[in-house]
Every structure is written in structure tokens, then in C-alpha cells.
Amino acid sequence: MEGLQRRFKETTHPEDEAEFLDEQQQEQLLQELREQNDKSNLSIQRGIVFIDILVSTIYAIFFYDLATAEILSVPRIPVPLMEPVAALIPVPEFAAMMSIASLYASVYTFITACRLSALEVIWKQPPPGRGLAPLNVLTAGLAGFAGAVAPCMALWDMASTVELVFWSVPLGILCLNLLGWRMMQQVEGKIDDLDKARYKYKGA
């Protein structure tokens, strides 16, 4: 009789076992969601940084052409699948420098908000669960200010539509970076809400 009572006390109730398995499965599911989200975020982050660097290279080449061109020559804006368009705004060298500064400030803002190092952007695998950092409003504001200088100059000089679009690209890149960061932040927030709801249900 005592042995039977002891075995009865040591036996786990089926309800407790089911609840334990449910909690274990939920934890495993959330972990898988976080891992998949980290992989997806890393691909998006590397893609955005690649676009930023590629665009900044175009402006660096444009600035180099300005620096090595003959005096009083008209600079040309490279346009895909079209003939180059003349850049007629005053002081195009200054506009190009401000555009490059805006692009690099956008890259820096995005990388720091994603908690990435230079090696992790290129090839190194970042640590798991790094998450996202708060956005650096100062560097984002500097990127926006620097990127707005050239378009304002083009508008003031009543430049052509192609030239205005060319000088507005850095602002578009900044918006792309901020939008990508915001979307990733929203996904992480939803995963955190699922985790909090699980603990709230367990406490109830």
C-alpha cells in the first residue's frame, strides 16, 4: 500500500505534462521565429547597405570627373540608358560633396541602428539575438540636411527634372534606410508581444 501511494505521488498529472509540453513548444516556436527573423533582417540590411555604397560610388565618380575636368567645362550627369545630362546648378562640386556626405551619414545611421560592424556587413555572422538599436536622430538629421542642400540648389536654379531627380537621390536613400529599419522594428515588436502574451497567459 505504501509503495502504491508513493508511486501515485511521483506520477505526473497528464494536465501538467500537457501544459509543460505546450510551454516548451511555444518557447521553441518563438526561438525559431527569432532566428528566421534575424536571418531575414541580415539579408535586408546587407542589401540596403550595398545599395547605399553603390549610389555613393556614382556621386564619387561624378565628383572625380568634376575635379579632373578642364576649366569652364560643363559637368555631365550619368543617366542609365540615356545620354548624359548637363549639370547646370552653381557649384556642382559642393553639391556632390554634400550628397556624398548625406549618403555616408545614412549608411552610418542604418548600420548603428542595426547593431552591425563593418565585418558583419561584409561577411562575418553577427551574434544571435542582437536586435535593433534606437535610431540615432542626430546622424539621421545630418544626413537629411546634407541631402537637401543639392535639391534646394537645383530648385533655386530651376534645373531640369532629370537633374533635380539626380540630386534628390540621397534623400530617397535616407528614406529607404529609415523605412527598412522601421519595418524590421515592427516585426521585432510583434515577436516580443507574442512572448509577453505567453507569459501573461501563463501567469493567469
Side-chain angles (χ1 to χ4, degrees):
M1 180 64 69
E2 292 180 0
L4 181 62
Q5 291 177 351
R6 185 168 57 253
R7 287 198 302 270
F8 180 77
K9 291 180 180 180
E10 293 175 355
T11 302
T12 305
H13 294 286
E15 295 83 359
D16 296 338
E17 184 176 358
E19 183 180 358
F20 173 76
L21 291 176
D22 288 342
E23 291 179 4
Q24 192 175 38
Q25 290 172 356
Q26 291 173 5
E27 182 68 28
Q28 183 179 0
L29 178 60
L30 284 172
Q31 184 64 27
E32 291 176 356
L33 284 175
R34 293 186 187 278
E35 292 176 357
Q36 292 176 1
N37 185 54
D38 287 343
K39 292 180 180 179
S40 177
N41 285 351
L42 183 60
S43 300
I44 295 173
Q45 291 159 3
R46 285 175 172 171
I48 290 178
V49 172
F50 174 77
I51 294 174
D52 294 355
I53 298 300
L54 181 63
V55 173
S56 66
T57 303
I58 297 174
Y59 285 87
I61 294 174
F62 178 80
F63 179 77
Y64 175 79
D65 291 340
L66 288 174
T68 57
E70 297 179 358
I71 300 176
L72 300 180
S73 62
V74 178
R76 298 285 178 175
I77 296 174
V79 182
L81 305 178
M82 291 178 58
E83 291 292 330
V85 177
L88 301 178
I89 66 171
V91 199
E93 296 86 356
F94 177 71
M97 286 190 297
M98 295 300 288
S99 298
I100 294 171
S102 173
L103 289 166
Y104 284 136
S106 297
V107 173
Y108 176 80
T109 302
F110 184 74
I111 289 177
T112 53
C114 295
R115 301 182 190 273
L116 289 175
S117 64
L119 291 178
E120 291 169 352
V121 171
I122 300 173
W123 61 273
K124 187 178 179 181
Q125 189 67 22
R130 57 190 169 87
L132 297 173
L135 191 70
N136 191 327
V137 180
L138 176 61
T139 56
L142 291 175
F145 173 78
V149 171
C152 290
M153 293 172 61
L155 287 173
W156 179 265
D157 199 55
M158 292 184 292
S160 64
T161 303
V162 175
E163 186 174 4
L164 178 60
V165 171
F166 176 76
W167 294 118
S168 300
V169 168
L171 284 180
I173 291 296
L174 175 61
C175 293
L176 174 66
N177 293 359
L178 297 179
L179 179 62
W181 175 82
R182 179 59 179 168
M183 291 177 63
M184 290 183 289
Q185 186 189 47
Q186 288 178 343
V187 174
E188 282 201 353
K190 291 180 180 179
I191 296 177
D192 292 338
D193 289 341
L194 287 175
D195 197 10
K196 293 177 182 178
R198 181 173 65 90
Y199 283 107
K200 184 177 180 181
Y201 175 79
K202 180 180 177 182

